[in-house]
Amino acid sequence: MKIFLVGYMGSGKSTIGKMLSKNVGIPFFDLDEIIEKHENMSIKKIFEEKGEVYFRKLEHLLLNAFTVENEHFVLALGGGTPCYANNHEVLKRDDVHSFYLKTSVDVLYKRLKNEKEARPLIADFNEEQLKEYINKHLFDRNYYYFQSKHIIDCSLKNKETIVLELQDLLT
């Protein structure tokens, strides 16, 4: 079983993915961590030293290689992954279960404003800039996120409810 979790940063892909992985008995992976391990440097450092074009090409190659080389996994994609190099096409494959963890701007804002230091892309934003940034990105990325086979509205649900909803859709 190949399970892809898609959504904006702060939508809960890693948290939900780890819980789902445990419940269904298949390993959890995070594409950003796969990239960092492959390059032996952080995503931030890759962007700084090699640029976004390099990162997006590498992301595409590693996503495709991982999907081909592994049969059973829960994989959290980076927030931008579906938006580049036709990566959204993998979400529509017959052998894939893809889920968009749809989260409102308000919920994302509340989560992200408390973790800005851990997220280099938003670390220097004030509150107004952060909300505008999230709004713009969600608008730009929604087309790609909605290529997922299932859309799970996560804004008003707890983690356990979301995981159970995902599990129900897998059967």
Side-chain angles (χ1 to χ4, degrees), residues 1-6 20 24 26 67 71-77 90-100 147-151 166-171:
M1 186 176 331
K2 298 178 180 189
I3 302 169
F4 290 87
L5 300 180
V6 175
L20 180 64
V24 299
I26 58 176
T67 304
E71 279 302 310
H72 301 287
F73 57 82
V74 176
L75 181 65
L77 300 184
V90 75
L91 304 174
K92 300 187 280 185
R93 288 177 34 168
D94 290 339
D95 64 334
V96 161
H97 299 275
S98 56
F99 299 92
Y100 168 27
Q147 300 302 308
S148 300
K149 292 179 181 172
H150 304 283
I151 288 75
L166 289 169
Q167 284 179 241
D168 285 347
L169 289 168
L170 292 171
T171 55

PDB file of all heavy atoms in Angstrom, residues 1-6 20 24 26 67 71-77 90-100 147-151 166-171:
ATOM      1  N   MET A   1       0.842  -1.175   0.000  1.00  0.00           N
ATOM      2  CA  MET A   1       0.000   0.000   0.000  1.00  0.00           C
ATOM      3  C   MET A   1       0.889   1.242   0.000  1.00  0.00           C
ATOM      4  O   MET A   1       1.781   1.379   0.819  1.00  0.00           O
ATOM      5  CB  MET A   1      -0.897  -0.026   1.248  1.00  0.00           C
ATOM      6  CG  MET A   1      -1.898   1.073   1.281  1.00  0.00           C
ATOM      7  SD  MET A   1      -3.084   1.055   2.663  1.00  0.00           S
ATOM      8  CE  MET A   1      -3.257  -0.645   3.093  1.00  0.00           C
ATOM      9  N   LYS A   2       0.632   2.141  -0.954  1.00  0.00           N
ATOM     10  CA  LYS A   2       1.388   3.386  -1.082  1.00  0.00           C
ATOM     11  C   LYS A   2       0.465   4.545  -0.716  1.00  0.00           C
ATOM     12  O   LYS A   2      -0.507   4.810  -1.410  1.00  0.00           O
ATOM     13  CB  LYS A   2       1.906   3.548  -2.507  1.00  0.00           C
ATOM     14  CG  LYS A   2       2.869   2.446  -2.920  1.00  0.00           C
ATOM     15  CD  LYS A   2       3.333   2.585  -4.351  1.00  0.00           C
ATOM     16  CE  LYS A   2       4.279   1.438  -4.668  1.00  0.00           C
ATOM     17  NZ  LYS A   2       4.938   1.590  -5.957  1.00  0.00           N
ATOM     18  N   ILE A   3       0.796   5.216   0.391  1.00  0.00           N
ATOM     19  CA  ILE A   3      -0.038   6.292   0.902  1.00  0.00           C
ATOM     20  C   ILE A   3       0.756   7.594   0.883  1.00  0.00           C
ATOM     21  O   ILE A   3       1.843   7.669   1.460  1.00  0.00           O
ATOM     22  CB  ILE A   3      -0.517   5.990   2.335  1.00  0.00           C
ATOM     23  CG1 ILE A   3      -1.290   4.666   2.369  1.00  0.00           C
ATOM     24  CG2 ILE A   3      -1.354   7.143   2.877  1.00  0.00           C
ATOM     25  CD1 ILE A   3      -1.565   4.169   3.771  1.00  0.00           C
ATOM     26  N   PHE A   4       0.195   8.601   0.213  1.00  0.00           N
ATOM     27  CA  PHE A   4       0.824   9.920   0.146  1.00  0.00           C
ATOM     28  C   PHE A   4      -0.026  10.920   0.915  1.00  0.00           C
ATOM     29  O   PHE A   4      -1.247  10.968   0.737  1.00  0.00           O
ATOM     30  CB  PHE A   4       0.930  10.397  -1.308  1.00  0.00           C
ATOM     31  CG  PHE A   4       1.930   9.631  -2.120  1.00  0.00           C
ATOM     32  CD1 PHE A   4       1.561   8.466  -2.770  1.00  0.00           C
ATOM     33  CD2 PHE A   4       3.229  10.077  -2.233  1.00  0.00           C
ATOM     34  CE1 PHE A   4       2.482   7.755  -3.520  1.00  0.00           C
ATOM     35  CE2 PHE A   4       4.157   9.372  -2.980  1.00  0.00           C
ATOM     36  CZ  PHE A   4       3.781   8.205  -3.627  1.00  0.00           C
ATOM     37  N   LEU A   5       0.626  11.717   1.751  1.00  0.00           N
ATOM     38  CA  LEU A   5      -0.047  12.783   2.474  1.00  0.00           C
ATOM     39  C   LEU A   5       0.447  14.116   1.936  1.00  0.00           C
ATOM     40  O   LEU A   5       1.651  14.371   1.871  1.00  0.00           O
ATOM     41  CB  LEU A   5       0.232  12.684   3.974  1.00  0.00           C
ATOM     42  CG  LEU A   5      -0.220  11.387   4.641  1.00  0.00           C
ATOM     43  CD1 LEU A   5       0.113  11.412   6.128  1.00  0.00           C
ATOM     44  CD2 LEU A   5      -1.702  11.120   4.426  1.00  0.00           C
ATOM     45  N   VAL A   6      -0.506  14.954   1.545  1.00  0.00           N
ATOM     46  CA  VAL A   6      -0.235  16.231   0.916  1.00  0.00           C
ATOM     47  C   VAL A   6      -0.872  17.327   1.760  1.00  0.00           C
ATOM     48  O   VAL A   6      -1.931  17.116   2.356  1.00  0.00           O
ATOM     49  CB  VAL A   6      -0.860  16.253  -0.506  1.00  0.00           C
ATOM     50  CG1 VAL A   6      -0.711  17.599  -1.167  1.00  0.00           C
ATOM     51  CG2 VAL A   6      -0.271  15.153  -1.359  1.00  0.00           C
ATOM     52  N   LEU A  20      -0.883   7.116  11.485  1.00  0.00           N
ATOM     53  CA  LEU A  20      -1.475   6.221  10.495  1.00  0.00           C
ATOM     54  C   LEU A  20      -0.559   5.035  10.232  1.00  0.00           C
ATOM     55  O   LEU A  20      -1.011   3.881  10.172  1.00  0.00           O
ATOM     56  CB  LEU A  20      -1.752   6.987   9.198  1.00  0.00           C
ATOM     57  CG  LEU A  20      -2.363   6.172   8.063  1.00  0.00           C
ATOM     58  CD1 LEU A  20      -3.746   5.658   8.450  1.00  0.00           C
ATOM     59  CD2 LEU A  20      -2.442   7.029   6.789  1.00  0.00           C
ATOM     60  N   VAL A  24      -1.723   1.151  10.656  1.00  0.00           N
ATOM     61  CA  VAL A  24      -1.855   0.230   9.520  1.00  0.00           C
ATOM     62  C   VAL A  24      -0.651  -0.695   9.369  1.00  0.00           C
ATOM     63  O   VAL A  24      -0.659  -1.596   8.531  1.00  0.00           O
ATOM     64  CB  VAL A  24      -2.152   0.963   8.187  1.00  0.00           C
ATOM     65  CG1 VAL A  24      -3.463   1.718   8.266  1.00  0.00           C
ATOM     66  CG2 VAL A  24      -1.018   1.880   7.778  1.00  0.00           C
ATOM     67  N   ILE A  26       2.592  -0.115   8.433  1.00  0.00           N
ATOM     68  CA  ILE A  26       3.584   0.089   7.369  1.00  0.00           C
ATOM     69  C   ILE A  26       4.425   1.313   7.728  1.00  0.00           C
ATOM     70  O   ILE A  26       3.962   2.187   8.455  1.00  0.00           O
ATOM     71  CB  ILE A  26       2.938   0.241   5.971  1.00  0.00           C
ATOM     72  CG1 ILE A  26       1.950   1.407   5.921  1.00  0.00           C
ATOM     73  CG2 ILE A  26       2.261  -1.051   5.549  1.00  0.00           C
ATOM     74  CD1 ILE A  26       1.348   1.654   4.535  1.00  0.00           C
ATOM     75  N   THR A  67       9.042   5.930  -4.856  1.00  0.00           N
ATOM     76  CA  THR A  67       7.754   5.324  -5.199  1.00  0.00           C
ATOM     77  C   THR A  67       7.945   4.007  -5.938  1.00  0.00           C
ATOM     78  O   THR A  67       7.206   3.041  -5.691  1.00  0.00           O
ATOM     79  CB  THR A  67       6.914   6.303  -6.051  1.00  0.00           C
ATOM     80  OG1 THR A  67       6.772   7.523  -5.322  1.00  0.00           O
ATOM     81  CG2 THR A  67       5.547   5.752  -6.353  1.00  0.00           C
ATOM     82  N   GLU A  71       7.119  -0.655  -1.803  1.00  0.00           N
ATOM     83  CA  GLU A  71       5.751  -1.121  -2.030  1.00  0.00           C
ATOM     84  C   GLU A  71       4.767  -0.659  -0.968  1.00  0.00           C
ATOM     85  O   GLU A  71       3.597  -0.451  -1.253  1.00  0.00           O
ATOM     86  CB  GLU A  71       5.735  -2.658  -2.084  1.00  0.00           C
ATOM     87  CG  GLU A  71       6.145  -3.221  -3.421  1.00  0.00           C
ATOM     88  CD  GLU A  71       5.275  -2.719  -4.567  1.00  0.00           C
ATOM     89  OE1 GLU A  71       4.022  -2.776  -4.464  1.00  0.00           O
ATOM     90  OE2 GLU A  71       5.834  -2.259  -5.564  1.00  0.00           O
ATOM     91  N   HIS A  72       5.223  -0.557   0.280  1.00  0.00           N
ATOM     92  CA  HIS A  72       4.327  -0.243   1.389  1.00  0.00           C
ATOM     93  C   HIS A  72       4.915   0.892   2.217  1.00  0.00           C
ATOM     94  O   HIS A  72       5.980   0.738   2.806  1.00  0.00           O
ATOM     95  CB  HIS A  72       4.106  -1.474   2.272  1.00  0.00           C
ATOM     96  CG  HIS A  72       3.531  -2.626   1.517  1.00  0.00           C
ATOM     97  ND1 HIS A  72       2.216  -2.659   1.106  1.00  0.00           N
ATOM     98  CD2 HIS A  72       4.090  -3.784   1.079  1.00  0.00           C
ATOM     99  CE1 HIS A  72       1.992  -3.792   0.452  1.00  0.00           C
ATOM    100  NE2 HIS A  72       3.117  -4.482   0.424  1.00  0.00           N
ATOM    101  N   PHE A  73       4.203   2.014   2.239  1.00  0.00           N
ATOM    102  CA  PHE A  73       4.705   3.167   2.989  1.00  0.00           C
ATOM    103  C   PHE A  73       3.607   4.202   3.159  1.00  0.00           C
ATOM    104  O   PHE A  73       2.629   4.239   2.417  1.00  0.00           O
ATOM    105  CB  PHE A  73       5.899   3.806   2.288  1.00  0.00           C
ATOM    106  CG  PHE A  73       5.623   4.251   0.869  1.00  0.00           C
ATOM    107  CD1 PHE A  73       4.994   5.461   0.605  1.00  0.00           C
ATOM    108  CD2 PHE A  73       6.002   3.451  -0.202  1.00  0.00           C
ATOM    109  CE1 PHE A  73       4.742   5.867  -0.704  1.00  0.00           C
ATOM    110  CE2 PHE A  73       5.750   3.850  -1.508  1.00  0.00           C
ATOM    111  CZ  PHE A  73       5.121   5.063  -1.765  1.00  0.00           C
ATOM    112  N   VAL A  74       3.823   5.045   4.159  1.00  0.00           N
ATOM    113  CA  VAL A  74       3.105   6.304   4.300  1.00  0.00           C
ATOM    114  C   VAL A  74       4.173   7.370   4.081  1.00  0.00           C
ATOM    115  O   VAL A  74       5.185   7.376   4.772  1.00  0.00           O
ATOM    116  CB  VAL A  74       2.478   6.460   5.714  1.00  0.00           C
ATOM    117  CG1 VAL A  74       1.828   7.828   5.856  1.00  0.00           C
ATOM    118  CG2 VAL A  74       1.494   5.343   6.008  1.00  0.00           C
ATOM    119  N   LEU A  75       3.966   8.247   3.105  1.00  0.00           N
ATOM    120  CA  LEU A  75       4.962   9.259   2.764  1.00  0.00           C
ATOM    121  C   LEU A  75       4.355  10.648   2.860  1.00  0.00           C
ATOM    122  O   LEU A  75       3.371  10.962   2.176  1.00  0.00           O
ATOM    123  CB  LEU A  75       5.496   9.032   1.344  1.00  0.00           C
ATOM    124  CG  LEU A  75       6.564  10.010   0.851  1.00  0.00           C
ATOM    125  CD1 LEU A  75       7.847   9.887   1.671  1.00  0.00           C
ATOM    126  CD2 LEU A  75       6.854   9.794  -0.630  1.00  0.00           C
ATOM    127  N   ALA A  76       4.935  11.483   3.715  1.00  0.00           N
ATOM    128  CA  ALA A  76       4.551  12.893   3.811  1.00  0.00           C
ATOM    129  C   ALA A  76       5.369  13.670   2.787  1.00  0.00           C
ATOM    130  O   ALA A  76       6.603  13.633   2.820  1.00  0.00           O
ATOM    131  CB  ALA A  76       4.821  13.421   5.219  1.00  0.00           C
ATOM    132  N   LEU A  77       4.688  14.331   1.874  1.00  0.00           N
ATOM    133  CA  LEU A  77       5.369  15.147   0.873  1.00  0.00           C
ATOM    134  C   LEU A  77       5.617  16.538   1.438  1.00  0.00           C
ATOM    135  O   LEU A  77       4.894  16.998   2.322  1.00  0.00           O
ATOM    136  CB  LEU A  77       4.518  15.267  -0.391  1.00  0.00           C
ATOM    137  CG  LEU A  77       4.156  13.974  -1.109  1.00  0.00           C
ATOM    138  CD1 LEU A  77       3.402  14.286  -2.398  1.00  0.00           C
ATOM    139  CD2 LEU A  77       5.386  13.139  -1.409  1.00  0.00           C
ATOM    140  N   VAL A  90       1.753  11.783  -9.620  1.00  0.00           N
ATOM    141  CA  VAL A  90       1.904  10.574  -8.805  1.00  0.00           C
ATOM    142  C   VAL A  90       0.692  10.385  -7.891  1.00  0.00           C
ATOM    143  O   VAL A  90       0.345   9.268  -7.532  1.00  0.00           O
ATOM    144  CB  VAL A  90       3.236  10.588  -8.010  1.00  0.00           C
ATOM    145  CG1 VAL A  90       3.185  11.535  -6.825  1.00  0.00           C
ATOM    146  CG2 VAL A  90       3.618   9.200  -7.535  1.00  0.00           C
ATOM    147  N   LEU A  91       0.031  11.477  -7.531  1.00  0.00           N
ATOM    148  CA  LEU A  91      -1.118  11.406  -6.628  1.00  0.00           C
ATOM    149  C   LEU A  91      -2.316  10.720  -7.270  1.00  0.00           C
ATOM    150  O   LEU A  91      -3.212  10.239  -6.577  1.00  0.00           O
ATOM    151  CB  LEU A  91      -1.521  12.815  -6.184  1.00  0.00           C
ATOM    152  CG  LEU A  91      -0.439  13.651  -5.515  1.00  0.00           C
ATOM    153  CD1 LEU A  91      -0.941  15.066  -5.255  1.00  0.00           C
ATOM    154  CD2 LEU A  91       0.046  12.996  -4.237  1.00  0.00           C
ATOM    155  N   LYS A  92      -2.329  10.663  -8.595  1.00  0.00           N
ATOM    156  CA  LYS A  92      -3.467  10.109  -9.328  1.00  0.00           C
ATOM    157  C   LYS A  92      -3.251   8.666  -9.779  1.00  0.00           C
ATOM    158  O   LYS A  92      -4.144   8.062 -10.360  1.00  0.00           O
ATOM    159  CB  LYS A  92      -3.764  10.994 -10.539  1.00  0.00           C
ATOM    160  CG  LYS A  92      -4.102  12.435 -10.151  1.00  0.00           C
ATOM    161  CD  LYS A  92      -4.551  13.266 -11.330  1.00  0.00           C
ATOM    162  CE  LYS A  92      -3.398  13.761 -12.144  1.00  0.00           C
ATOM    163  NZ  LYS A  92      -3.809  14.676 -13.232  1.00  0.00           N
ATOM    164  N   ARG A  93      -2.075   8.127  -9.509  1.00  0.00           N
ATOM    165  CA  ARG A  93      -1.765   6.764  -9.975  1.00  0.00           C
ATOM    166  C   ARG A  93      -2.714   5.740  -9.357  1.00  0.00           C
ATOM    167  O   ARG A  93      -3.166   5.892  -8.223  1.00  0.00           O
ATOM    168  CB  ARG A  93      -0.323   6.398  -9.627  1.00  0.00           C
ATOM    169  CG  ARG A  93       0.693   7.131 -10.472  1.00  0.00           C
ATOM    170  CD  ARG A  93       2.104   6.843 -10.114  1.00  0.00           C
ATOM    171  NE  ARG A  93       2.336   5.485  -9.652  1.00  0.00           N
ATOM    172  CZ  ARG A  93       3.532   4.946  -9.501  1.00  0.00           C
ATOM    173  NH1 ARG A  93       4.592   5.644  -9.775  1.00  0.00           N
ATOM    174  NH2 ARG A  93       3.664   3.725  -9.049  1.00  0.00           N
ATOM    175  N   ASP A  94      -2.973   4.666 -10.101  1.00  0.00           N
ATOM    176  CA  ASP A  94      -3.883   3.614  -9.636  1.00  0.00           C
ATOM    177  C   ASP A  94      -3.385   2.898  -8.392  1.00  0.00           C
ATOM    178  O   ASP A  94      -4.182   2.434  -7.582  1.00  0.00           O
ATOM    179  CB  ASP A  94      -4.115   2.582 -10.750  1.00  0.00           C
ATOM    180  CG  ASP A  94      -4.942   3.146 -11.893  1.00  0.00           C
ATOM    181  OD1 ASP A  94      -5.663   4.143 -11.674  1.00  0.00           O
ATOM    182  OD2 ASP A  94      -4.863   2.589 -13.005  1.00  0.00           O
ATOM    183  N   ASP A  95      -2.070   2.792  -8.243  1.00  0.00           N
ATOM    184  CA  ASP A  95      -1.509   2.037  -7.114  1.00  0.00           C
ATOM    185  C   ASP A  95      -1.243   2.911  -5.891  1.00  0.00           C
ATOM    186  O   ASP A  95      -0.567   2.487  -4.954  1.00  0.00           O
ATOM    187  CB  ASP A  95      -0.220   1.325  -7.538  1.00  0.00           C
ATOM    188  CG  ASP A  95       0.903   2.282  -7.930  1.00  0.00           C
ATOM    189  OD1 ASP A  95       0.602   3.424  -8.363  1.00  0.00           O
ATOM    190  OD2 ASP A  95       2.075   1.897  -7.817  1.00  0.00           O
ATOM    191  N   VAL A  96      -1.809   4.105  -5.874  1.00  0.00           N
ATOM    192  CA  VAL A  96      -1.523   5.077  -4.819  1.00  0.00           C
ATOM    193  C   VAL A  96      -2.816   5.520  -4.130  1.00  0.00           C
ATOM    194  O   VAL A  96      -3.843   5.706  -4.776  1.00  0.00           O
ATOM    195  CB  VAL A  96      -0.802   6.308  -5.443  1.00  0.00           C
ATOM    196  CG1 VAL A  96      -0.876   7.514  -4.557  1.00  0.00           C
ATOM    197  CG2 VAL A  96       0.638   5.970  -5.792  1.00  0.00           C
ATOM    198  N   HIS A  97      -2.726   5.691  -2.813  1.00  0.00           N
ATOM    199  CA  HIS A  97      -3.778   6.345  -2.025  1.00  0.00           C
ATOM    200  C   HIS A  97      -3.220   7.718  -1.658  1.00  0.00           C
ATOM    201  O   HIS A  97      -2.214   7.802  -0.958  1.00  0.00           O
ATOM    202  CB  HIS A  97      -4.072   5.567  -0.738  1.00  0.00           C
ATOM    203  CG  HIS A  97      -4.553   4.180  -0.969  1.00  0.00           C
ATOM    204  ND1 HIS A  97      -5.875   3.878  -1.212  1.00  0.00           N
ATOM    205  CD2 HIS A  97      -3.889   2.994  -1.011  1.00  0.00           C
ATOM    206  CE1 HIS A  97      -6.012   2.583  -1.373  1.00  0.00           C
ATOM    207  NE2 HIS A  97      -4.824   2.022  -1.257  1.00  0.00           N
ATOM    208  N   SER A  98      -3.858   8.773  -2.144  1.00  0.00           N
ATOM    209  CA  SER A  98      -3.362  10.122  -1.850  1.00  0.00           C
ATOM    210  C   SER A  98      -4.421  10.919  -1.095  1.00  0.00           C
ATOM    211  O   SER A  98      -5.612  10.850  -1.407  1.00  0.00           O
ATOM    212  CB  SER A  98      -2.950  10.835  -3.138  1.00  0.00           C
ATOM    213  OG  SER A  98      -4.019  10.878  -4.066  1.00  0.00           O
ATOM    214  N   PHE A  99      -3.956  11.662  -0.103  1.00  0.00           N
ATOM    215  CA  PHE A  99      -4.834  12.423   0.774  1.00  0.00           C
ATOM    216  C   PHE A  99      -4.317  13.846   0.928  1.00  0.00           C
ATOM    217  O   PHE A  99      -3.150  14.048   1.271  1.00  0.00           O
ATOM    218  CB  PHE A  99      -4.878  11.785   2.170  1.00  0.00           C
ATOM    219  CG  PHE A  99      -5.406  10.381   2.177  1.00  0.00           C
ATOM    220  CD1 PHE A  99      -4.541   9.299   2.065  1.00  0.00           C
ATOM    221  CD2 PHE A  99      -6.768  10.137   2.293  1.00  0.00           C
ATOM    222  CE1 PHE A  99      -5.018   8.007   2.079  1.00  0.00           C
ATOM    223  CE2 PHE A  99      -7.257   8.845   2.316  1.00  0.00           C
ATOM    224  CZ  PHE A  99      -6.385   7.766   2.199  1.00  0.00           C
ATOM    225  N   TYR A 100      -5.201  14.795   0.698  1.00  0.00           N
ATOM    226  CA  TYR A 100      -4.894  16.197   0.962  1.00  0.00           C
ATOM    227  C   TYR A 100      -5.442  16.517   2.343  1.00  0.00           C
ATOM    228  O   TYR A 100      -6.641  16.449   2.575  1.00  0.00           O
ATOM    229  CB  TYR A 100      -5.514  17.086  -0.113  1.00  0.00           C
ATOM    230  CG  TYR A 100      -5.514  18.571   0.175  1.00  0.00           C
ATOM    231  CD1 TYR A 100      -4.548  19.169   1.000  1.00  0.00           C
ATOM    232  CD2 TYR A 100      -6.459  19.403  -0.395  1.00  0.00           C
ATOM    233  CE1 TYR A 100      -4.550  20.533   1.252  1.00  0.00           C
ATOM    234  CE2 TYR A 100      -6.474  20.778  -0.153  1.00  0.00           C
ATOM    235  CZ  TYR A 100      -5.516  21.329   0.672  1.00  0.00           C
ATOM    236  OH  TYR A 100      -5.525  22.684   0.924  1.00  0.00           O
ATOM    237  N   GLN A 147      -5.441  17.510  -6.535  1.00  0.00           N
ATOM    238  CA  GLN A 147      -5.235  16.350  -7.409  1.00  0.00           C
ATOM    239  C   GLN A 147      -5.239  15.055  -6.599  1.00  0.00           C
ATOM    240  O   GLN A 147      -5.296  13.961  -7.155  1.00  0.00           O
ATOM    241  CB  GLN A 147      -3.917  16.477  -8.179  1.00  0.00           C
ATOM    242  CG  GLN A 147      -3.821  17.707  -9.065  1.00  0.00           C
ATOM    243  CD  GLN A 147      -4.926  17.784 -10.100  1.00  0.00           C
ATOM    244  OE1 GLN A 147      -5.150  16.832 -10.846  1.00  0.00           O
ATOM    245  NE2 GLN A 147      -5.625  18.901 -10.131  1.00  0.00           N
ATOM    246  N   SER A 148      -5.161  15.163  -5.284  1.00  0.00           N
ATOM    247  CA  SER A 148      -5.218  13.989  -4.403  1.00  0.00           C
ATOM    248  C   SER A 148      -6.559  13.299  -4.571  1.00  0.00           C
ATOM    249  O   SER A 148      -7.577  13.942  -4.849  1.00  0.00           O
ATOM    250  CB  SER A 148      -5.043  14.414  -2.938  1.00  0.00           C
ATOM    251  OG  SER A 148      -3.807  15.053  -2.751  1.00  0.00           O
ATOM    252  N   LYS A 149      -6.566  11.998  -4.363  1.00  0.00           N
ATOM    253  CA  LYS A 149      -7.804  11.225  -4.513  1.00  0.00           C
ATOM    254  C   LYS A 149      -8.820  11.528  -3.418  1.00  0.00           C
ATOM    255  O   LYS A 149     -10.018  11.393  -3.633  1.00  0.00           O
ATOM    256  CB  LYS A 149      -7.478   9.732  -4.538  1.00  0.00           C
ATOM    257  CG  LYS A 149      -6.728   9.318  -5.789  1.00  0.00           C
ATOM    258  CD  LYS A 149      -6.408   7.844  -5.764  1.00  0.00           C
ATOM    259  CE  LYS A 149      -5.634   7.470  -7.020  1.00  0.00           C
ATOM    260  NZ  LYS A 149      -5.155   6.096  -6.944  1.00  0.00           N
ATOM    261  N   HIS A 150      -8.320  11.887  -2.248  1.00  0.00           N
ATOM    262  CA  HIS A 150      -9.211  12.167  -1.120  1.00  0.00           C
ATOM    263  C   HIS A 150      -8.825  13.499  -0.481  1.00  0.00           C
ATOM    264  O   HIS A 150      -7.645  13.784  -0.305  1.00  0.00           O
ATOM    265  CB  HIS A 150      -9.120  11.074  -0.051  1.00  0.00           C
ATOM    266  CG  HIS A 150      -9.403   9.710  -0.579  1.00  0.00           C
ATOM    267  ND1 HIS A 150     -10.674   9.250  -0.844  1.00  0.00           N
ATOM    268  CD2 HIS A 150      -8.561   8.688  -0.899  1.00  0.00           C
ATOM    269  CE1 HIS A 150     -10.604   8.016  -1.301  1.00  0.00           C
ATOM    270  NE2 HIS A 150      -9.347   7.648  -1.350  1.00  0.00           N
ATOM    271  N   ILE A 151      -9.831  14.271  -0.126  1.00  0.00           N
ATOM    272  CA  ILE A 151      -9.612  15.537   0.577  1.00  0.00           C
ATOM    273  C   ILE A 151     -10.185  15.373   1.975  1.00  0.00           C
ATOM    274  O   ILE A 151     -11.362  15.035   2.139  1.00  0.00           O
ATOM    275  CB  ILE A 151     -10.283  16.727  -0.152  1.00  0.00           C
ATOM    276  CG1 ILE A 151      -9.547  17.087  -1.461  1.00  0.00           C
ATOM    277  CG2 ILE A 151     -10.242  17.973   0.733  1.00  0.00           C
ATOM    278  CD1 ILE A 151      -9.734  16.227  -2.590  1.00  0.00           C
ATOM    279  N   LEU A 166      -8.936   8.541   7.638  1.00  0.00           N
ATOM    280  CA  LEU A 166      -8.004   8.031   6.608  1.00  0.00           C
ATOM    281  C   LEU A 166      -8.087   6.511   6.527  1.00  0.00           C
ATOM    282  O   LEU A 166      -8.161   5.955   5.424  1.00  0.00           O
ATOM    283  CB  LEU A 166      -6.565   8.452   6.952  1.00  0.00           C
ATOM    284  CG  LEU A 166      -6.209   9.924   6.795  1.00  0.00           C
ATOM    285  CD1 LEU A 166      -4.857  10.213   7.411  1.00  0.00           C
ATOM    286  CD2 LEU A 166      -6.222  10.332   5.338  1.00  0.00           C
ATOM    287  N   GLN A 167      -8.061   5.863   7.668  1.00  0.00           N
ATOM    288  CA  GLN A 167      -8.123   4.394   7.700  1.00  0.00           C
ATOM    289  C   GLN A 167      -9.397   3.878   7.051  1.00  0.00           C
ATOM    290  O   GLN A 167      -9.369   2.907   6.296  1.00  0.00           O
ATOM    291  CB  GLN A 167      -8.013   3.882   9.133  1.00  0.00           C
ATOM    292  CG  GLN A 167      -6.620   3.928   9.678  1.00  0.00           C
ATOM    293  CD  GLN A 167      -6.557   3.433  11.111  1.00  0.00           C
ATOM    294  OE1 GLN A 167      -6.173   4.171  12.000  1.00  0.00           O
ATOM    295  NE2 GLN A 167      -6.953   2.206  11.325  1.00  0.00           N
ATOM    296  N   ASP A 168     -10.526   4.537   7.327  1.00  0.00           N
ATOM    297  CA  ASP A 168     -11.795   4.125   6.726  1.00  0.00           C
ATOM    298  C   ASP A 168     -11.732   4.212   5.212  1.00  0.00           C
ATOM    299  O   ASP A 168     -12.290   3.375   4.510  1.00  0.00           O
ATOM    300  CB  ASP A 168     -12.949   4.986   7.239  1.00  0.00           C
ATOM    301  CG  ASP A 168     -13.364   4.644   8.657  1.00  0.00           C
ATOM    302  OD1 ASP A 168     -12.946   3.575   9.175  1.00  0.00           O
ATOM    303  OD2 ASP A 168     -14.091   5.452   9.261  1.00  0.00           O
ATOM    304  N   LEU A 169     -11.064   5.225   4.682  1.00  0.00           N
ATOM    305  CA  LEU A 169     -10.961   5.403   3.231  1.00  0.00           C
ATOM    306  C   LEU A 169      -9.996   4.403   2.587  1.00  0.00           C
ATOM    307  O   LEU A 169     -10.039   4.209   1.374  1.00  0.00           O
ATOM    308  CB  LEU A 169     -10.531   6.838   2.917  1.00  0.00           C
ATOM    309  CG  LEU A 169     -11.607   7.889   3.191  1.00  0.00           C
ATOM    310  CD1 LEU A 169     -11.005   9.291   3.140  1.00  0.00           C
ATOM    311  CD2 LEU A 169     -12.757   7.768   2.216  1.00  0.00           C
ATOM    312  N   LEU A 170      -9.155   3.782   3.384  1.00  0.00           N
ATOM    313  CA  LEU A 170      -8.207   2.788   2.854  1.00  0.00           C
ATOM    314  C   LEU A 170      -8.851   1.414   2.673  1.00  0.00           C
ATOM    315  O   LEU A 170      -8.316   0.570   1.973  1.00  0.00           O
ATOM    316  CB  LEU A 170      -6.986   2.657   3.776  1.00  0.00           C
ATOM    317  CG  LEU A 170      -6.063   3.875   3.815  1.00  0.00           C
ATOM    318  CD1 LEU A 170      -5.023   3.711   4.914  1.00  0.00           C
ATOM    319  CD2 LEU A 170      -5.389   4.090   2.461  1.00  0.00           C
ATOM    320  N   THR A 171      -9.982   1.182   3.333  1.00  0.00           N
ATOM    321  CA  THR A 171     -10.610  -0.151   3.266  1.00  0.00           C
ATOM    322  C   THR A 171     -11.664  -0.245   2.188  1.00  0.00           C
ATOM    323  O   THR A 171     -12.114   0.684   1.633  1.00  0.00           O
ATOM    324  CB  THR A 171     -11.250  -0.521   4.616  1.00  0.00           C
ATOM    325  OG1 THR A 171     -12.167   0.503   4.987  1.00  0.00           O
ATOM    326  CG2 THR A 171     -10.201  -0.701   5.687  1.00  0.00           C
TER     327      THR A 171
END
